[in-house]
Each structure stands twice: as structure tokens, then as C-alpha cells.
Amino acid sequence: MFVSRLLDFQKTRYARFMNHRVPSNCRYQPTEYEHAANCATHAFWILPSILGSSILYILSDDQWETISAWIYGFGLSSLFIVSTIFHTISWKKRHLRTVEHCLHMFDRMVIYFFIAASYAPWLNLRELGPWASHMRWIIWIMASIGTVYVFFFHERYKLVELVCYVIMGFFPALVILSMPNRDGLLELVAGGFFYCLGMVFFKSDGRIPFAHAIWHLFVATGAGIHYYAIWRYKLVELVCYVIMGFFPALVILSMPNRDGLLELVAGGFFYCLGMVFFKSDGRIPFAHAIWHLFVATGAGIHYYAIWRYLYQPGALDTETSR
């Protein structure tokens, strides 16, 4: 009771940013401000989620890694895409009641499959015991049951729905805690912490301005941490190359003389584009050889820039005179 009063902004100057709370069996109607925030806070992450999913696919070394990348990427991208579509329709096409209702149900259903997809890489790619291995398919049964529940009891028992999300989020974690390999466990817990903390706002519409949008931000943060945990141990070497390639460029960009900057960027572009082939052995014929060609092209462009602007006769004299 104390917490509810503490987080109640209805009697403050921020009340204009939200509407009054509704009964538990009704859906809250956001203000125009909240509608815009709800759309923006998930629409922003659509492209990064698709790009991130593509990176995991490119870095996959075997069939199971590829399958897990597809499952996780589809769940991650679907969460943001479906949420954005629903909130956009709810804001701009609210007269389409049937469409809005169906999208709202779909938005809730996707959460179950997103949770299952988030665990897929951990359950598919880590060593599991004979009993723990059953969680690989149990979690999808749980997602299906949650979907059926939403279909028949959507918005009728909101507390039950919330409990279902929590159970599905924590139950598979017990299996992961029993794995011999604990790499990524800290990030997994941290992401779960943000999901749980965000639930305070998930059920605070009409009490806290922009509560649902804040919930979206917590979801995006938790998803980002979990994504980091998944690719961290796949990308360490590649990330080191990227950091070493880009970090000195920040110094060069601050130089007064920008001659050769275009060639520097062009060479870097070829290096980055070649990374697609650097991690595509077994998927693209001659992938590593193609990567070599991109490296040679980037190196050639950089050589040309150095020769033209630093060593060509008269270049140093011109620089000195300046």
C-alpha cells in the first residue's frame, strides 16, 4: 500500500501525461504522449535487433549454432516489431477495434516465445544433464500454454498473466545454473534483474507517467545484456580487431588536415564488409579467400592515401607550409 502511494503521480503536475487507472479487467488507454513513447521505445530497437541477429548467424560455426541464432534472432526481432505495430495501430487506428484487439493478444503471445527464444542458445549449445536436457522442449510447451491462455483469457486475469511470465522466465534458469560451464551467468542474471525491475512499471499504467514506455526500456536493456552474453564468447577476437581498427580513427578525425580521410573511410569499409566472409567458412565457397581480397583492397586504398597525401613529392612541403 505504501509503495502504491509512493509511486502514484495522479496528484502531481505530471498527471497530464497519463490517464486514470482502470479496473483490472479493462485495458488502460494511454495519453497521446504515452502512445508516442510506447511506439518509439521499441521501434528504435527493430533495426539493431535484426542486425544483431544477422551477426549471430554469420558467426555460427555449426548447424546447432545456426539454428539457435535463427530462433533467438526471430524471437528478439519479433518482440520489437510486433510491439511497435500494436502500439502504432492502438495510437493512430484505434477505431479498428478488432485489429487492435488481435494485435494486443499477439503482442502478449510473442512475449512467451521471446522468453523461450532467449533461452534457446543456452539450452542448445551448452552441455546439459540427462534430465536438464528436457528443458529444451519443455520451454516451448510452456510458451504454447501461455499462448493458449492469452487466447482464451486475455486481459481477464492480469495477475495470473504476470505470474506466468515470471515462472517461464525463472524456471529454465534453474537448469542453466546447473551447467558445468558458468560463462555468461553474470550477464544472464543482470538481464533478468532488469526484466524483473521493469515489471514494477509494467503494471503501473495510470499511476506512473509513461509507465509502459519505461517498461519497454527495461525490456530493451535486459534483452541487450542477454544478447551481449550470447555473442560475447563468440566475438572476442573479432571485436578486438574492430576496436583496434576504429579507435585510432577517432584521433585522425580530429586532425585539422582532413586530406585522405575519404580513402581512409573507404578502406575501412572494405575491411568491415569483408568480415561477412571472414566468418562464413563452410557457408560460402572460398569465403576466406574472398576475405583476403577485401583485405587486399582495403590495404591498397590505405596505401594509396598514405602515398598520395604523405609521401608524394611536395605533399610534406605543402603540409609544412600550412
Side-chain angles (χ1 to χ4, degrees):
M1 188 69 176
F2 173 75
V3 175
S4 299
R5 290 180 178 178
L6 182 64
L7 297 178
D8 195 342
F9 287 79
Q10 280 292 353
K11 296 182 180 180
T12 68
R13 60 179 178 175
Y14 302 106
R16 65 190 179 94
F17 293 110
M18 61 183 177
N19 289 322
H20 290 282
R21 289 184 63 80
V22 296
S24 59
N25 60 340
C26 298
R27 185 158 66 88
Y28 174 77
Q29 294 300 323
T31 62
E32 290 293 309
Y33 301 105
E34 290 179 312
H35 272 305
N38 291 343
C39 294
T41 47
H42 266 184
F44 179 82
W45 300 105
I46 292 177
L47 184 58
S49 66
I50 295 175
L51 292 176
S53 303
S54 302
I55 290 174
L56 290 181
Y57 172 75
I58 292 171
L59 294 174
S60 300
D61 294 327
D62 55 44
Q63 183 179 12
W64 274 110
E65 288 190 4
T66 301
I67 293 173
S68 299
W70 273 110
I71 293 174
Y72 177 71
F74 184 76
L76 181 66
S77 303
S78 297
L79 177 76
F80 296 123
I81 293 172
V82 172
S83 176
T84 301
I85 293 174
F86 160 66
H87 285 294
T88 302
I89 295 297
S90 179
W91 180 20
K92 296 298 185 181
K93 300 292 182 180
R94 66 187 68 176
H95 59 282
L96 302 175
R97 295 295 183 184
T98 303
V99 175
E100 182 187 8
H101 178 73
C102 291
L103 284 172
H104 193 210
M105 292 175 60
F106 194 30
D107 179 54
R108 292 291 186 263
M109 293 174 181
V110 165
I111 296 177
Y112 288 108
F113 286 96
F114 166 68
I115 296 173
S118 296
Y119 279 111
W122 302 95
L123 297 174
N124 293 339
L125 304 179
R126 288 284 174 86
E127 181 182 353
L128 299 174
W131 290 102
S133 61
H134 293 299
M135 185 56 67
R136 290 170 177 157
W137 55 268
I138 290 176
I139 192 170
W140 293 104
I141 293 179
M142 295 173 68
S144 300
I145 293 174
T147 300
V148 173
Y149 172 82
V150 172
F151 184 81
F152 287 104
F153 303 104
H154 180 54
E155 290 292 300
R156 291 177 61 181
Y157 309 105
K158 294 184 179 181
L159 183 59
V160 174
E161 184 180 26
L162 184 61
V163 170
C164 290
Y165 290 141
V166 173
I167 292 175
M168 188 172 175
F170 277 96
F171 190 59
L174 300 178
V175 173
I176 294 177
L177 290 174
S178 66
M179 293 179 179
N181 186 352
R182 298 294 184 88
D183 291 340
L185 182 61
L186 180 62
E187 292 89 341
L188 191 68
V189 172
F193 171 76
F194 275 93
Y195 286 134
C196 293
L197 191 60
M199 289 180 184
V200 175
F201 301 93
F202 182 58
K203 291 300 181 181
S204 296
D205 289 322
R207 184 176 289 129
I208 300 175
F210 304 105
H212 201 80
I214 297 173
W215 152 248
H216 281 182
L217 295 178
F218 274 96
V219 169
T221 303
I225 294 174
H226 281 178
Y227 176 86
Y228 168 76
I230 291 171
W231 69 249
R232 176 183 176 186
Y233 302 100
K234 292 286 298 176
L235 280 177
V236 172
E237 181 184 29
L238 188 60
V239 169
C240 289
Y241 290 145
V242 173
I243 292 176
M244 189 171 178
F246 278 95
F247 189 66
L250 300 177
V251 176
I252 295 176
L253 290 174
S254 66
M255 293 179 178
N257 186 353
R258 299 294 182 87
D259 293 340
L261 182 61
L262 180 62
E263 291 85 347
L264 190 67
V265 172
F269 171 77
F270 275 93
Y271 286 138
C272 293
L273 191 60
M275 289 180 183
V276 175
F277 301 93
F278 181 60
K279 286 295 185 179
S280 295
D281 290 323
R283 188 176 293 113
I284 300 176
F286 306 104
H288 205 78
I290 297 173
W291 153 247
H292 283 178
L293 295 177
F294 274 96
V295 170
T297 303
I301 295 174
H302 282 178
Y303 175 86
Y304 169 76
I306 294 172
W307 169 80
R308 178 180 178 183
Y309 298 106
L310 297 178
Y311 285 91
Q312 190 178 22
L316 293 177
D317 295 337
T318 303
E319 179 66 24
T320 303
S321 64
R322 290 179 182 176

